[in-house]
Amino acid sequence: MTSRATSVRPRPWRRTVRHLLTGVVVALVAALTPAVTTTGAQAAPTLLSQGRPATASSTENAGTPASAAVDGNTGTRWASAFNDPQWLQVDLGQRATISQVNLLWEGAYGRAFQIQTSDDAATWTTIYSTTTGAGGTQNLTVTGAGQYVRMYGTARVTAYGYSLWEFQVYGETGGDTSTCGSANVAQGSPATASSTENAGTPASAAVDGNTGTRWASAAQVDPQWLRVDLGSTRTICRVTLTWEAAYARAFQLQTSADGSTWTTIYSTTTATGGTQNLTVTGGGRYLRVYGTARGTAYGYSLWELAVNTTGGGTTEPPVGTTDPYNPNLGPNTYVFDPSTPTSTIQSRLNTLFTQQETNQFGAQRYAVLFKPGTYTADVNLGFFTQVAGLGMSPDDVNLNGHVRAEATWFGGNATQNFWRSAENLSVTLPSGVSVERWAVSQAAPYRRMHLRGAQNQIQLWNGGDGWSSGGLLADTRIDGLVVSGSQQQWYSRNSEFGNGWTGSVWNMVFQGVNGAPPPSFPNPSHTVIAQTPQVREKPFLYVTSSGEYRVFVPAVRTNSTGTSWYNKTPAGSSISLSQFFVVQPGTSAATINAALAQGKHLLFTPGVHHVTEPIQVNRADTVVLGLGLATIQADNGSVGMRVADVDGVKVAGLMFEAGTTTSPVLMEVGPSGSSASHAGNPTSLHDVFFRIGGPHVGKATNTLTVNSDNVIGDHMWLWRADHAAQGVPTGWTLNTADTGLTVNGDDVTMYGLFVEHYQKYQTIWNGNGGRTYFYQNELPYDVSNQAAWMNGSTRGYAAYKVADSVTSHGAWGLGSYSYFNVNPAVVEEHSFEVPVNPNVRFTNMVTVSLGGVGTINRVINNAGGTANAANQTVYLTTYP
């Protein structure tokens, strides 16, 4: 083993060829996208279908999905397979009265088709029928009602399929709108606020039906707001505000469909407090009181907020119960017990590995779970496969054999071995074998594992050739030796190495690790931090002796070393799976949010879960856990998930993926302006990964934004794709994304943070008191020229930017690398950009010009040397 690499093999750059549209298709786009006639829509002005979940009987290819017909973009389309019958269906989210349907056909139109409605997507009623359709734009006046509307085609006019640029459904939702109801739909609903005066005045107190409890905001700060989630879109007719003495003189009532874009339905600058009964007209899922001027020197304070609606309200989708003894964990979860024949287990493992060994951009996801007991198995993990034990301790499940990751498929080069995990197992190697191999790079945690045998070693590379580029060992016991080999950077946290560690390339960080090597940087490049200041380990699924499935939620540990479980009882709480809504692929975000509103936790089964509106996690202490690297894809420009500014939410084991329409952000923790303290019970993110591009051309402006204070990030990889599936293009103007991580909250801590290839700042840190332990970054490969990558007069954007307003920040063990292969003349001015302040300190940094391709001029601000072809690696131990 070598302690330092003498040359670097950068990650392969996959070139793809763009497929140009033929002149015929371009002409069709121009010819068949006229302005939509609005005559029929005047009587029913509401477009109900745009952005709603859409499904189809088939699609011609991945570039013509059902969602493209309801995205509001007349340049994208749905196209079916080339046979009859075919259908396109949209879920309006609630029952509606339908008055008009517009079809904007591409050249392949339907000669015979029907428009049908349904309340359950099973029994259909035809509200329009033709056998003489002429294509083009058809504005159809109809009369019907239902939650689902579909075009059902029975005869095509061409040899191709059916193809629609847009499918537009107009109408009105709900029933009797003449009477304002008496029920207070806000009572007991999730509520959040911009701030709270103290722990005794939470947002929830304003919607608890108790006029003796109240919400109060921070004092002497404007604006402030209180928001309530009504669970579904409602037609709001009256809002009653019962003010405490600290009232609002100027405020607005605002509604929103997504909790992000707001419409004002009432405004005043002359309020006098007391009880205000306000008649309003508006609709939305969310209502907020937005205060801009206080009536006193104190904050804003409400005893109660009541909301009344008309018959236009909706009923939440039914949410079933979960049997904790026999849960449906989805078709791609395999659960074995000691009575399962060894041959059956091994056959399944071999089949999965054969399918997933190279399948890094496929939609398949798998979880392989072992109940407590002893097994003989060789677990060789491919892409998007999780193996985990179902015991309370890793030692409750012992595999005689291997749990390994190899790089054979890529010639020994492990720099693309992503997206897999091994958790909560112990492994006993076969007789005569002393080496376990975990040759991985990003998003491949080896967590809560026990490799038995002091004579054994785990190798973090291919063991003789090839490179590997980053990974995580956490809460893990290795009885023997850890050998890093060619690993360019690695993060080990709260683990125990019986015979220590050997190896170093650029950036090795050890935190709270018993058996870590002595601190030494840069030769060897070992950053050693004695303790972990505050961390919560990842929640996990387990089975009790009675056969009940439960989720264990580890407690927060402070100033910790070593594992949470070896020779000790882990602290934490346990939740029955009966308290979880088990999410299957195809479940709508509306149903998921209904489950959350009913107090459920979430367990996502393996697969790709498409959402067209944000998943809203509003309740404190909610657990959101994914199996098999379950993936949430944000379609139609949606946000994937929003977490309220509440205590103790745990999100774990999920990937968030950008859709083809630009999302403003894929995940947001706390709304803008969050300020509540969660120091005693922080929200935490564990093995949460993000991807912009790869299986398709994904787009997002921002990726993860953290607005709440005291959030913990426990191993995250935010990746704008530098390569993609065969036939899928990537590039500077294609899979676009400005920023990976934006931190606005105070006292946020990141453990094991990987951010790569974004087009502006990779990470922006605006909050005070932030800490990062281990940071890995690759700058974007695909910058076309220097002019395309300028931050004002500065060449390029920093990999890690701490805002000038920040007065305290700390970071340990950081690496940033350039590989400007499209144009090696591109220069990054500096990788780390921070205010000059003695309380903003960076420790042990490295910059690398991979293979000498491109230049990083300075390490941090104007300090540190230049990394380029002549001097590829530059170290700096402290700043300032």
Side-chain angles (χ1 to χ4, degrees), residues 150-349:
R150 75 175 178 181
M151 185 288 298
Y152 188 82
T154 55
R156 294 160 291 130
V157 77
T158 72
Y160 300 102
Y162 297 82
S163 182
L164 280 165
W165 296 113
E166 282 294 294
F167 181 57
Q168 299 172 329
V169 178
Y170 289 83
E172 295 179 287
T173 59
D176 180 12
T177 59
S178 61
T179 303
C180 193
S182 60
N184 177 10
V185 298
Q187 188 168 318
S189 295
T192 53
S194 53
S195 66
T196 56
E197 182 181 357
N198 55 56
T201 57
S204 59
V207 292
D208 61 1
N210 182 354
T211 55
T213 62
R214 64 187 176 97
W215 162 69
S217 76
Q220 300 178 337
V221 178
D222 291 307
Q224 299 286 344
W225 50 262
L226 174 74
R227 180 180 80 171
V228 60
D229 178 1
L230 304 177
S232 63
T233 300
R234 306 277 184 166
T235 301
I236 300 169
C237 51
R238 184 169 51 247
V239 175
T240 302
L241 303 167
T242 306
W243 293 100
E244 195 249 3
Y247 66 94
R249 185 178 72 252
F251 68 91
Q252 302 163 29
L253 297 180
Q254 301 173 325
T255 59
S256 174
D258 59 6
S260 177
T261 302
W262 296 91
T263 299
T264 298
I265 61 173
Y266 174 85
S267 181
T268 183
T269 58
T270 58
T272 57
T275 298
Q276 294 181 264
N277 294 302
L278 305 174
T279 299
V280 296
T281 300
R285 173 172 175 161
Y286 302 88
L287 180 132
R288 75 175 177 182
V289 182
Y290 190 82
T292 55
R294 292 162 289 119
T296 73
Y298 299 100
Y300 299 83
S301 183
L302 276 167
W303 294 113
E304 280 296 296
L305 164 65
V307 179
N308 304 116
T309 63
T310 68
T314 63
T315 301
E316 285 299 339
V319 175
T321 58
T322 300
D323 180 355
Y325 293 91
N326 188 32
N328 177 8
L329 300 180
N332 291 346
T333 298
Y334 300 96
V335 179
F336 299 126
D337 62 47
S339 68
T340 309
T342 297
S343 60
T344 300
I345 296 172
Q346 195 61 54
S347 175
R348 174 58 61 190
L349 292 169

Side-chain angles (χ1 to χ4, degrees), residues 743 745 747-750 753 763-773 800-803 806-812 814 833-835 837-843 879-880:
V743 178
D747 301 310
V748 171
T749 303
M750 294 287 161
L753 176 60
T763 295
I764 304 173
W765 211 293
N766 298 314
N768 271 308
R771 294 174 294 187
T772 295
Y773 299 94
Y800 193 115
K801 163 72 174 177
V802 180
V806 171
T807 57
S808 60
H809 190 89
W812 295 260
L814 305 99
E833 183 178 321
V834 305
N837 185 307
N839 293 318
V840 178
R841 301 194 61 83
F842 277 56
T843 302
Y879 185 90

Side-chain angles (χ1 to χ4, degrees), residues 144 255 356-357 404 513 564 703 751 853:
T255 59
Q356 297 300 108
E357 182 181 13
R404 58 193 175 103
V513 174
S564 66
T703 305
Y751 299 105
V853 181

Side-chain angles (χ1 to χ4, degrees), residues 346-616:
Q346 195 61 54
S347 175
R348 174 58 61 190
L349 292 169
N350 293 346
T351 298
L352 291 179
F353 178 70
T354 299
Q355 176 181 308
Q356 297 300 108
E357 182 181 13
T358 65
N359 193 20
Q360 64 174 312
F361 295 115
Q364 295 76 21
R365 308 283 188 271
Y366 297 97
V368 181
L369 310 178
F370 291 87
K371 291 183 177 181
T374 300
Y375 303 81
T376 298
D378 179 7
V379 183
N380 193 358
L381 288 173
F383 284 98
F384 290 106
T385 308
Q386 174 195 30
V387 61
L390 291 172
M392 262 299 291
S393 166
D395 288 342
D396 291 341
V397 179
N398 183 56
L399 296 186
N400 291 304
H402 294 279
V403 173
R404 58 193 175 103
E406 308 281 1
T408 308
W409 72 280
F410 209 48
N413 185 343
T415 57
Q416 289 187 32
N417 268 9
F418 312 141
W419 303 311
R420 64 201 73 194
S421 70
E423 302 177 52
N424 202 29
L425 294 160
S426 66
V427 179
T428 300
L429 297 179
S431 177
V433 176
S434 62
V435 174
E436 185 75 297
R437 189 163 291 122
W438 191 250
V440 299
S441 291
Q442 291 82 359
Y446 195 84
R447 183 188 286 277
R448 210 168 190 268
M449 294 288 289
H450 184 190
L451 181 61
R452 298 172 183 263
Q455 75 283 1
N456 295 326
Q457 63 177 249
I458 184 169
Q459 296 183 352
L460 305 179
W461 67 318
N462 202 55
D465 61 350
W467 293 105
S468 42
S469 182
L472 170 85
L473 285 169
D475 204 20
T476 286
R477 166 81 185 181
I478 306 295
D479 289 350
L481 177 68
V482 183
V483 180
S484 64
S486 70
Q487 271 293 345
Q488 294 163 346
Q489 53 273 311
W490 192 272
Y491 179 57
S492 302
R493 181 186 59 71
N494 286 92
S495 294
E496 300 168 9
F497 304 154
N499 283 330
W501 171 289
T502 182
S504 167
V505 179
W506 296 325
N507 179 17
M508 306 291 170
V509 177
F510 308 84
Q511 185 166 20
V513 174
N514 297 332
S520 174
F521 190 90
N523 188 21
S525 57
H526 292 160
T527 298
V528 181
I529 301 142
Q531 295 180 323
T532 303
Q534 184 187 51
V535 74
R536 175 191 288 119
E537 298 296 342
K538 180 182 177 181
F540 60 89
L541 186 67
Y542 74 104
V543 177
T544 68
S545 58
S546 67
E548 182 186 14
Y549 284 80
R550 301 182 70 88
V551 171
F552 187 76
V553 182
V556 172
R557 294 197 291 165
T558 58
N559 299 325
S560 59
T561 61
T563 69
S564 66
W565 56 269
Y566 186 71
N567 284 338
K568 65 190 78 169
T569 300
S573 58
S574 178
I575 307 171
S576 171
L577 209 61
S578 65
Q579 301 303 306
F580 280 75
F581 176 57
V582 179
V583 185
Q584 308 289 345
T587 305
S588 70
T591 299
I592 295 169
N593 286 330
L596 289 166
Q598 294 170 26
K600 298 286 190 180
H601 306 277
L602 300 178
L603 181 70
F604 282 84
T605 62
V608 178
H609 301 259
H610 292 265
V611 299
T612 54
E613 62 181 273
I615 296 170
Q616 302 277 357

